[in-house]
Amino acid sequence: MTDNGGTGTGAAGGEPAATAAGRLRAALRAPRLARAMGAHNPLSARLAEEAGFDVVWSSGLEISAAAGVPDANILAMPECLDAAAGLAAAVRTPVLADCDSGFGNVNNVIHMVRSYEARGIAGVCIEDKRFPKLNSFIEGNQDLAPLDDFAGKIRAAAETREDMVVVARLEALISGQGMDEALRRAEVYERAGADALLIHSKRKDPEEVFAFRAAYRGDLPVIVVPTTYNQVTVTELEQRGFAMAIYANQALRSSIRAMRDVLTRIMRDGTTRHVEAELAPLKEIFDLQRMPQMLEQQDRYESLGRELAEAAQ
Ligand code: SPV
Ligand code: MG
């Protein structure tokens, strides 16, 4: 059961599809570009939903950063799952979970898919790197998993899930293997049963993801993560034929900057007076916690209880 605080209709518009996976699938297949925002806890997921994002991205980078550890499979699958499930419980917006390289081999992927589906996650995304993965923007081991290993993981995920989207993430451009390798793998992952592809790039311009989209001849929706090529617009991505953009970490980065700035000024000034105008009022926190709804339900059930007790006298 989810708590729907949002009003968005999703990328598909009209009546929302029945399940979280259905809504994610509809967003990926809609004519307009779907937009996902990275989150690491229920509060940030609610902010993303309130801002109108179509999808919440359960970001491995954000979740590990919030735990104070590197994005390098330091956190285990149950910790990532708990975080993703917390997001899914807090919003109606479908949650697409970053599942790194699947937490191990095909057996881990099968267990992962069952576990994520049971906790209401709309989709899982696995990337074709070796375990333990390293964040794509870190220089170091970005070696790809052997093609047969990863194709087996995608097929295992596709055959295990009942109602969940399976995204295959291509890291060929990140690992320096080039466009031909990315395209070869895209074709194999499509045949393996992926529902969508994510093409990742760390270039400062979008040219290589544009080139991939133009050369890819398959039928799957293609997702991008415009972190480094941040000048790209929704309109451009839509015109180029992409299905979804994931803004993977901007909310976390803005909060780090805001918190650091305020903490420094409180120490320096010896008062909080000068920062007060920039802070969210307590009411905003109460609303995000659904405090008004809690008080309303309390009133309702306490008065219903009194009525029931009086009727028995
Ligand atoms: C994440 O948000 O954890 C991602 C995107 O996987 S990236 O950090 O760009 O690899
Ligand atoms: Mg990640």
Side-chain angles (χ1 to χ4, degrees):
M1 186 65 190
T2 60
D3 168 11
N4 178 14
T7 54
T9 54
E15 279 305 299
T19 65
R23 291 194 297 277
L24 176 57
R25 216 171 280 119
L28 285 167
R29 290 285 178 188
R32 75 172 173 83
L33 187 89
R35 286 184 271 183
M37 177 49 70
H40 59 276
N41 63 17
L43 182 69
S44 56
R46 282 192 176 152
L47 289 168
E49 180 167 84
E50 284 185 7
F53 285 90
D54 306 294
V55 173
V56 171
W57 167 247
S58 179
S59 160
L61 172 67
E62 288 209 8
I63 292 164
S64 51
V69 299
D71 180 19
N73 279 133
I74 305 298
L75 296 182
M77 191 277 272
E79 295 167 293
C80 298
L81 171 58
D82 274 347
L87 311 185
V91 293
R92 185 172 185 283
T93 305
V95 173
L96 174 60
D98 176 6
C99 292
D100 297 333
S101 55
F103 305 106
N105 71 6
V106 286
N107 296 314
N108 300 86
V109 167
I110 289 167
H111 179 61
M112 175 201 99
V113 165
R114 288 187 183 133
S115 307
Y116 275 69
E117 188 165 336
R119 303 281 296 271
I121 311 300
V124 287
C125 175
I126 56 175
E127 65 194 57
D128 54 2
K129 290 213 299 256
R130 295 171 187 270
F131 181 93
K133 64 66 65 69
L134 188 60
N135 182 272
S136 303
F137 298 122
I138 299 289
E139 289 304 324
N141 182 7
Q142 297 291 346
D143 289 351
L144 294 187
L147 179 55
D148 56 340
D149 277 8
F150 195 73
K153 285 185 186 180
I154 294 294
R155 177 59 61 89
E159 290 190 352
T160 301
R161 60 88 191 275
E162 285 173 23
D163 184 25
M164 195 164 65
V165 171
V166 175
V167 178
R169 166 167 159 178
L170 297 146
E171 292 277 300
L173 304 178
I174 296 285
S175 76
Q177 296 298 303
M179 191 60 70
D180 288 349
E181 183 64 12
L183 290 163
R184 183 171 81 100
R185 284 177 174 251
E187 199 182 297
V188 177
Y189 302 162
E190 183 164 2
R191 267 189 282 125
D195 300 302
L197 300 172
L198 187 161
I199 181 72
H200 205 10
S201 165
K202 57 183 175 187
R203 286 253 306 243
K204 290 208 156 53
D205 61 73
E207 294 313 318
E208 70 179 2
V209 297
F210 286 176
F212 173 87
R213 187 65 196 85
Y216 168 63
R217 295 265 169 262
D219 292 326
L220 297 183
V222 180
I223 302 168
V224 281
V225 185
T227 302
T228 49
Y229 45 101
N230 52 44
Q231 70 280 37
V232 81
T233 66
V234 164
T235 311
E236 277 176 300
L237 290 171
E238 202 170 280
Q239 283 168 353
R240 298 278 180 164
F242 291 99
M244 183 160 90
I246 299 176
Y247 301 101
N249 51 47
Q250 285 77 8
L252 176 69
R253 287 162 60 202
S254 69
S255 67
I256 290 172
R257 184 56 71 81
M259 285 193 280
R260 226 192 254 287
D261 177 57
V262 162
L263 303 191
T264 307
R265 287 161 61 200
I266 292 172
M267 276 305 279
R268 187 194 62 200
D269 297 346
T271 174
T272 61
R273 189 160 68 95
H274 307 304
V275 296
E276 189 63 34
E278 293 159 48
L279 305 183
L282 288 176
K283 176 168 186 319
E284 271 188 48
I285 303 179
F286 298 150
D287 288 347
L288 284 161
Q289 290 174 298
R290 310 292 188 249
M291 178 65 87
Q293 290 89 329
M294 189 200 83
L295 294 176
E296 202 182 293
Q297 80 196 11
Q298 184 177 335
D299 275 358
R300 176 171 145 76
Y301 287 108
E302 285 179 356
S303 87
L304 280 171
R306 277 192 299 276
E307 279 172 32
L308 287 163
E310 278 164 21
Q313 274 162 16

